[in-house]
Amino acid sequence: MKQRYTAGGIISLIGALVGIVGVFAAFLLAYQPMMNAKLAAGRPDEALIIQYAIPFLSDVGIASGVVWAVAAYGFFRERAWAWTVATTANVMTLLAGFFSMIPAVIEGLFPAFIVVFGPGLVTYFLLTTYVRRVDGRIVAVSLFSGMAYVTAFMNGVAATDKIILYSDPFMIALQRLNWLAALGWGVFTVGLLNRKAWVKPVGLGAGLMGLVAGVPLAVASTIEEGRLSLFSPAPLLALLLLAVLLAPAGSRMVIRWLDGGSTADGAAA
């Protein structure tokens, strides 16, 4: 597939700067204020989540910057693997940036990690519409799988909070399965953009795991709270993506893409 190597290199350098410098700066600005706000609100359980989750995501974000830098080298040397490395870095950046904004928004603080998530979203569209012109329908599917990836991760974190509060065996049984589903959707997103032959079974597995891990949480929480639970988006997205992968029209679209058809390739720079 034709691609604009120079543009890819420049975009990857921006991604490296955002991942290394942006994540580090956002962490220093946001970590302690989020901790303090949760403690002041009488939620030591959520402060404990922040204590471990935000440093972990900061590690993911900074590591994504390093991966972006490797992608930049590959693009400037016109290596075929640069695109795969760049899309991997982008998927890592989006997780680190999006989830890390949520505690700040809930407490009315400035979401410092917007300086990571915002550019990450822009680079995603630039990679898939300019550096290498991916079929628009595949971009749409990858966006939904990216959302499933983030929301499944969030379900695992939310279940962890319930475990801290109540030591609920129900939550303990499902917590890690949501993270496994998140991992599956992350791999699926990168594999889909890179036309890997194994991507459909990975997507089917991630979707089924998303339902197994997410539906019980969503149903139990909805009944308990009397309203649609925040555990619901992950399994709903999993159901939507399974429908796309299994429906005849969606299956044909994905197969054509993986086989090299239905593309909107642009000329190389």
Side-chain angles (χ1 to χ4, degrees), residues 1-5 7-12 68 71 75 82-91 120-134 139 193:
M1 182 182 289
K2 296 178 180 179
Q3 57 190 351
R4 295 175 167 90
Y5 285 103
I10 294 170
I11 290 167
S12 296
W68 272 118
F75 276 123
W83 169 263
T84 300
V85 177
T87 51
T88 301
N90 214 153
V91 167
L121 200 57
V122 171
T123 56
Y124 191 82
F125 281 108
L126 288 175
L127 283 176
T128 56
T129 63
Y130 184 73
V131 175
R132 180 185 288 190
R133 296 192 62 192
V134 177
V139 174
L193 294 175

Side-chain angles (χ1 to χ4, degrees), residues 8-266:
I10 294 170
I11 290 167
S12 296
L13 285 178
I14 294 170
L17 182 66
V18 169
I20 297 172
V21 179
V23 171
F24 186 66
F27 178 81
L28 294 180
L29 289 170
Y31 177 70
Q32 198 59 54
M34 286 192 291
M35 288 282 291
N36 294 341
K38 291 298 184 183
L39 291 172
R43 295 302 305 265
D45 54 308
E46 294 185 358
L48 188 61
I49 294 292
I50 290 171
Q51 182 180 350
Y52 292 101
I54 300 303
F56 167 73
L57 290 168
S58 176
D59 291 345
V60 172
I62 292 173
S64 78
V66 173
V67 178
W68 272 118
V70 174
Y73 168 83
F75 276 123
F76 286 129
R77 296 296 299 271
E78 298 191 0
R79 297 292 188 260
W81 49 260
W83 169 263
T84 300
V85 177
T87 51
T88 301
N90 214 153
V91 167
M92 294 169 65
T93 299
L94 290 172
L95 175 65
F98 182 79
F99 182 85
S100 300
M101 294 189 299
I102 295 174
V105 171
I106 291 173
E107 297 302 328
L109 302 173
F110 174 73
F113 278 87
I114 189 68
V115 303
V116 179
F117 178 71
L121 200 57
V122 171
T123 56
Y124 191 82
F125 281 108
L126 288 175
L127 283 176
T128 56
T129 63
Y130 184 73
V131 175
R132 180 185 288 190
R133 296 192 62 192
V134 177
D135 187 298
R137 294 167 297 178
I138 296 300
V139 174
V141 172
S142 72
L143 285 173
F144 280 110
S145 65
M147 292 164 61
Y149 156 68
V150 172
T151 54
F153 180 84
M154 290 169 58
N155 274 9
V157 175
T160 304
D161 183 62
K162 301 289 187 182
I163 293 168
I164 294 170
L165 289 171
Y166 311 118
S167 298
D168 187 347
F170 180 76
M171 294 291 173
I172 294 171
L174 297 171
Q175 171 207 37
R176 298 169 306 284
L177 298 180
N178 280 278
W179 287 333
L180 186 58
L183 177 62
W185 284 128
V187 172
F188 172 84
T189 302
V190 174
L192 181 66
L193 294 175
N194 286 275
R195 288 179 153 168
K196 299 300 183 181
W198 43 257
V199 77
K200 186 170 181 179
V202 169
L204 294 174
L208 183 57
M209 182 60 73
L211 294 180
V212 169
V215 168
L217 289 177
V219 171
S221 182
T222 296
I223 293 172
E224 179 184 351
E225 298 174 8
R227 59 179 174 80
L228 186 64
S229 169
L230 293 178
F231 283 112
S232 300
L236 288 174
L237 286 164
L239 184 62
L240 172 64
L241 288 160
L242 280 175
V244 170
L245 292 173
L246 293 173
S251 181
R252 286 194 299 270
M253 175 189 70
V254 172
I255 290 171
R256 281 199 301 268
W257 166 254
L258 297 179
D259 288 343
S262 297
T263 63
D265 300 344

